[in-house]
Amino acid sequence: MTDRYASFVQSAAGRALVKRLGLPDPPRLRRHHPGDPLLPGPALLGAATGGRLAEPLAKMLTAAGVELADPAATGQRYGALLFDATGVTDSTELRQLYDFFHPQARAVLPSGRVIVLGTPPRECATPREATAQRALEGLVRSIGKEFGRGSTAQLVYVSRADGPTLAAGTATSLESTLRFLLSGRSAYVSGQVVRVGGGTASAPADWDRPLDGQVVLVTGAARGIGAALAKVLARDGATVVALDIPAAGDALAAVANDIGGTAVQLDLTAPDAPTRLAEHLASRHGRVDVVVHNAGITRDKTLGRMDADRWDQVIDVNLSSQERINDVLLERELIPTGGRIISVSSIAGIAGNRGQTNYATSKAGVIGLVDSLAPTLRERGISVNAVAPGFIETRLTARIPLVVREAGRRMNSLAQGGLPVDVAETIGWLAWPASGAVSGNVVRVCGQSLLGA
Ligand SMILES: NC(=O)c1ccc[n+]([C@@H]2O[C@H](COP(=O)([O-])OP(=O)(O)OC[C@H]3O[C@@H](n4cnc5c(N)ncnc54)[C@H](O)[C@@H]3O)[C@@H](O)[C@H]2O)c1
């Protein structure tokens, strides 16, 4: 579970060897600690002519305590480069992005951030505008691969519908996403396209406790990513209901006690699990604001060697049980307006994986669940999103044979595996009341893995 190579390259001897032999050089990533500033240095803003977001963006950043750099200054290093590309309406105008980023390619500080804002191609007025806006993806994903030293690059498509409120400075729809992407919370998220728009977002009284007053259910909370999730969500102010199978009861109790949450021992695949869970949540809390479907299993075999039990168990735990639970919680109106459903998928569900037909099917199904539920639940003010982790350092990945494990770890832009806390912070952002305008997204937490890219 520890990446000994990454620790070694951060030593003096390691650094020398890496340089001499041209070995992979995993940078130390900037991770979030409460009270941290959003960025390690000033932000440089740029905008294409006619953009609609530059002004609200500058206002938001200043309010968040980010220092805005003087565009005329030379020789500066930046914590972030942000570019409002919403004014780009034709491919010839993409040159404005080259003009902004080209001189700054070496000016981004370690673990710095690159963020481009665009208009969703589907909302564009002309095919030319849609084409140019779609082109932004290629630029951002390539910057994620080029700039290095723990920096990340993302594209945020902001719905036109949010334009007037953003301009008036009355909407927080974009703010939660900006704060997440700029901060150390998004350490292992890179090369992503996030869509923001619609929905109701409310700013927290304290951005260091963005989940204050929220009741959150985390399944599979006894260990790994689920245990990290319980901790992060409680740190951010949530009351956490931690659920896992009875056999994991001791570990589950330890997690729940540690964070002042409650423990529910329940096998999610039991026929009465949805109703028992609904009754528990109704009687203890009267509602559940955020449901995080994290519990998951693998039962690997190539398809020809896989018995039906392995298939059934994986589909049932990873996908069907989520559907049954959603149905009952929604039917009983236990998830209120402003509620969140967040599922854990996997890059295996995007790229497929040898020996994991069952797992990849279940995890692709989770993406289907998000796609299909998000539009209908938007009407009820409930957002639905998924995260798709790549290689995360847990017991699950520690079981992978050494050579395959080492390859999996390094085959991404950050040249290292992620930590459970990286997945937890990403789920945390999607759970915030301030993220009500983020729905129907699948966000990979994979360091920009080459798999499924
Ligand atoms: N570790 C990774 O690299 C990685 C990568 C991609 C996706 N994921 C996904 O992230 C999630 C968490 O993974 P992890 O690595 O922490 O795994 P893990 O095996 O450490 O933890 C999973 C937890 O789910 C619980 N669980 C399993 N079946 C259950 C059931 N029927 N009812 C209730 N609880 C049940 C387990 O007891 C366990 O505590 C899973 O959905 C996994 O597929 C992990």
Side-chain angles (χ1 to χ4, degrees):
M1 276 192 269
T2 46
D3 182 350
R4 292 212 179 90
Y5 176 79
S7 312
F8 173 66
V9 299
Q10 268 142 24
S11 68
R15 293 231 58 75
L17 204 65
V18 160
K19 247 191 169 161
R20 186 135 40 91
L21 301 180
L23 295 171
D25 187 6
R28 193 190 294 275
L29 302 183
R30 172 171 62 98
R31 290 195 165 85
H32 173 75
H33 301 284
D36 278 358
L38 279 183
L39 286 173
L44 182 67
L45 301 196
T49 317
R52 62 192 159 89
L53 296 174
E55 222 177 282
L57 181 62
K59 268 193 215 156
M60 246 178 255
L61 292 172
T62 311
V66 172
E67 182 196 339
L68 301 186
D70 174 2
T74 51
Q76 278 245 43
R77 315 271 312 278
Y78 303 108
L81 304 176
L82 296 106
F83 192 86
D84 170 19
T86 56
V88 174
T89 56
D90 186 281
S91 58
T92 53
E93 294 168 8
L94 289 165
R95 173 63 190 272
Q96 297 177 78
L97 285 109
Y98 169 84
D99 291 341
F100 175 74
F101 285 112
H102 166 72
Q104 312 302 350
R106 288 172 206 279
V108 177
L109 288 163
S111 285
R113 303 286 185 253
V114 172
I115 297 178
V116 174
L117 303 178
T119 299
R122 255 188 270 162
E123 291 184 15
C124 288
T126 64
R128 289 227 167 174
E129 184 184 8
T131 303
Q133 289 295 322
R134 178 62 180 77
L136 299 173
E137 277 196 35
L139 172 77
V140 169
R141 292 194 206 276
S142 302
I143 288 178
K145 293 181 180 188
E146 274 188 19
F147 279 19
R149 296 192 303 161
S151 64
T152 63
Q154 335 279 352
L155 172 61
V156 183
Y157 281 132
V158 184
S159 170
R160 272 198 212 282
D162 283 16
T165 39
L166 280 169
T170 54
T172 48
S173 57
L174 177 58
E175 189 171 359
S176 77
T177 298
L178 272 184
R179 282 180 176 264
F180 168 70
L181 294 177
L182 293 175
S183 74
R185 295 179 194 262
S186 62
Y188 200 61
V189 177
S190 191
Q192 296 307 291
V193 179
V194 177
R195 287 174 173 74
V196 173
T200 319
S202 48
D206 176 358
W207 280 101
D208 260 339
R209 290 184 61 86
L211 283 168
D212 250 346
Q214 300 289 293
V215 178
V216 179
L217 168 71
V218 178
T219 71
R223 64 174 198 227
I225 293 170
L229 254 167
K231 271 191 199 146
V232 164
L233 302 178
R235 177 203 69 194
D236 285 353
T239 300
V240 176
V241 179
L243 180 151
D244 214 298
I245 49 173
D250 289 347
L252 182 69
V255 170
N257 288 341
D258 191 33
I259 57 165
T262 55
V264 177
Q265 295 186 15
L266 189 64
D267 182 338
L268 291 168
T269 61
D272 61 350
T275 48
R276 281 177 56 196
L277 180 58
E279 278 155 21
H280 175 89
L281 292 167
S283 66
R284 292 288 178 91
H285 304 282
R287 69 183 203 282
V288 58
D289 299 297
V290 182
V291 177
V292 185
H293 293 293
N294 163 74
I297 58 169
T298 51
R299 296 286 183 271
D300 298 354
K301 280 275 179 221
T302 50
L303 189 57
R305 294 173 188 273
M306 187 183 295
D307 56 53
D309 263 2
R310 280 175 193 262
W311 177 273
D312 291 343
Q313 282 175 24
V314 169
I315 301 290
D316 203 27
V317 174
N318 295 4
L319 183 59
S320 309
S321 74
Q322 294 192 13
E323 296 178 296
R324 292 192 294 266
I325 285 165
N326 288 344
D327 286 350
V328 171
L329 296 181
L330 288 167
E331 207 177 276
R332 298 189 181 192
E333 299 193 344
L334 283 166
I335 307 177
T337 301
R340 310 267 176 268
I341 296 175
I342 305 161
S343 286
V344 179
S345 177
S346 164
I347 54 167
I350 295 168
N353 202 13
R354 187 185 148 79
Q356 290 199 312
T357 48
N358 50 359
Y359 184 74
T361 303
S362 71
K363 295 298 188 181
V366 163
I367 296 173
L369 182 151
V370 169
D371 289 346
S372 55
L373 278 185
T376 36
L377 290 184
R378 198 180 274 266
E379 287 157 25
R380 286 173 63 171
I382 297 170
S383 75
V384 191
N385 294 284
V387 298
F391 187 103
I392 305 298
E393 305 280 355
T394 61
R395 280 166 53 152
L396 202 132
T397 45
R399 283 207 303 266
I400 301 172
L402 180 71
V403 176
V404 183
R405 184 166 76 226
E406 194 49 24
R409 225 176 220 156
R410 306 285 164 229
M411 276 170 42
N412 58 72
S413 299
L414 299 171
Q416 60 196 288
L419 301 180
V421 70
D422 298 326
V423 182
E425 298 278 18
T426 308
I427 290 175
W429 151 62
L430 294 168
W432 298 346
S435 298
V438 187
S439 192
N441 283 273
V442 178
V443 180
R444 294 170 53 153
V445 187
C446 65
Q448 200 178 20
S449 170
L450 298 181
L451 293 182

